Amino acid sequence: MNLLCTLAVLLAVTQAPVPTSGKATNHGVRDGHTQNQNANTGEKPSVPALASITKDKNGPSLETHSDQHSTDLNQPTINITNPAPVPIPWGWREWTVWGGNLAVAIVGLGGIGVAIATLLKLERQTKATEDQLRIAEKTIVFTQRPRISARNFYFSKMTAIGRQVPNGISEGSEAAGQFYIGNSGGTDAKIREVLCIVHLEGGDNLAGERPYEGMIGSAEDTVLHPGSSIPYFFRMENPLTHDEAYRLAMSMETLKMHVMGKVVYVDELGIVRTTHFCRRYIPARRRFEPVDNPDYENAD
């Protein structure tokens, strides 16, 4: 109940005329003059509107009651509208925040630029390092590349049950023997081809064209590690005749026996290399010795 009364009073106050500039002071004078005039004429003075509160089913409502003479009074009204927003100038705090954000943005852009430059520099350094490693690898391969040589030639002793088998340079011998292919380099060598023949030369010097030119040797797929070696065999296609065996045994210079051929291999860089070998048999020493001819005896 107290709350409803308070609400009625507030509504009555808000409906009271609000004095404006230059007019608010005239209402008291006019009201006093009106009361005097009413007293002289014998009319009842106008009674201001009274507020009463009624209660219905929809809730309390406010009603106003006034004398019909109060409707003759034209009370001024005031319409209040929201003023247009006025821009507020920035203070030092706003400018400080804005400057801080700008500084952070500039620092962030600078950091991104530095990061991109660093990545590009790292990429260049990585490429340079890879090039140096590649050059170093090639240098190592070139300096420590495989070196294939043929060595330790000798005749094999052939045996048979119940009969004598010719060996070496005896009549009917195929001059069968073996030698070793070794790798004296520092890296692996892949053996691809081996060719070896036994050649009888009647002249004083070897021919300018190697007798095995155009021949194809046996295909190989062997990897020779540094310091390792493999055996390989040789023999004549036709056995020695009596005349050939005699001339060789007598150490006549009119006939010489050579074991010659080539070894084709590939290094780790994929470079194909060839080693040529040629050994002459010396009957007086019973051994094979390399010839002094770079066209027949050389190592690539």
Side-chain angles (χ1 to χ4, degrees):
M1 187 66 181
N2 295 332
L3 180 60
L4 294 177
C5 294
T6 304
L7 181 60
V9 173
L10 291 177
L11 289 176
V13 170
T14 54
Q15 290 182 357
V18 180
T20 57
S21 176
K23 296 181 180 181
T25 56
N26 295 330
H27 290 293
V29 176
R30 188 178 61 180
D31 292 342
H33 179 71
T34 303
Q35 291 178 358
N36 295 330
Q37 184 177 2
N38 291 334
N40 296 328
T41 58
E43 295 179 358
K44 294 182 179 180
S46 61
V47 180
L50 298 177
S52 64
I53 297 175
T54 62
K55 187 175 182 181
D56 57 8
K57 63 179 179 179
N58 294 327
S61 62
L62 180 65
E63 296 180 358
T64 58
H65 303 277
S66 64
D67 191 271
Q68 74 179 43
H69 298 286
S70 62
T71 57
D72 297 334
L73 299 177
N74 294 324
Q75 297 181 355
T77 60
I78 297 176
N79 296 324
I80 300 176
T81 59
N82 294 328
V86 178
I88 301 174
W90 281 9
W92 65 272
R93 293 183 179 178
E94 288 78 6
W95 283 107
T96 302
V97 173
W98 181 84
N101 294 334
L102 180 61
V104 170
I106 294 174
V107 172
L109 292 176
I112 294 174
V114 172
I116 294 175
T118 303
L119 290 176
L120 294 176
K121 185 177 180 180
L122 289 176
E123 183 179 0
R124 290 192 297 268
Q125 291 179 351
T126 302
K127 185 178 180 181
T129 303
E130 291 177 352
D131 293 340
Q132 292 177 357
L133 291 176
R134 194 177 299 110
I135 293 173
E137 181 181 0
K138 290 183 178 180
T139 303
I140 292 174
V141 172
F142 278 124
T143 57
Q144 302 294 327
R145 71 175 183 84
R147 298 181 184 276
I148 298 299
S149 61
R151 61 180 185 271
N152 196 17
F153 290 76
Y154 60 92
F155 288 120
S156 301
K157 183 177 287 189
M158 307 296 292
T159 60
I161 299 175
R163 66 185 180 90
Q164 185 178 358
V165 178
N167 292 305
I169 59 173
S170 60
E171 181 182 353
S173 172
E174 294 180 348
Q178 71 178 32
F179 65 98
Y180 288 89
I181 300 173
N183 180 11
S184 58
T187 54
D188 294 342
K190 298 178 181 178
I191 307 300
R192 291 290 179 259
E193 180 186 353
V194 178
L195 173 65
C196 183
I197 64 172
V198 179
H199 178 69
L200 298 178
E201 182 70 34
D204 293 336
N205 299 315
L206 292 170
E209 182 181 2
R210 291 181 290 242
Y212 56 84
E213 290 293 341
M215 296 183 182
I216 299 176
S218 62
E220 304 290 339
D221 189 15
T222 305
V223 177
L224 276 183
H225 302 294
S228 62
S229 62
I230 56 173
Y232 199 82
F233 300 95
F234 63 85
R235 68 191 309 161
M236 293 181 65
E237 293 183 359
N238 299 314
L240 288 172
T241 64
H242 174 76
D243 181 64
E244 291 172 342
Y246 177 77
R247 292 168 64 185
L248 289 173
M250 296 302 293
S251 299
M252 296 180 181
E253 294 294 329
T254 56
L255 186 65
K256 305 180 185 68
M257 175 182 284
H258 295 89
V259 178
M260 61 181 68
K262 64 180 180 178
V263 179
V264 180
Y265 63 99
V266 180
D267 61 17
E268 291 188 347
L269 292 179
I271 300 175
V272 180
R273 303 178 182 275
T274 304
T275 295
H276 297 272
F277 59 88
C278 181
R279 305 300 167 90
R280 177 187 173 185
Y281 181 70
I282 309 298
R285 300 177 183 175
R286 294 183 179 182
R287 58 174 299 174
F288 289 90
E289 294 184 355
V291 299
D292 187 13
N293 190 324
D295 292 335
Y296 285 82
E297 182 75 26
N298 62 70
D300 187 8

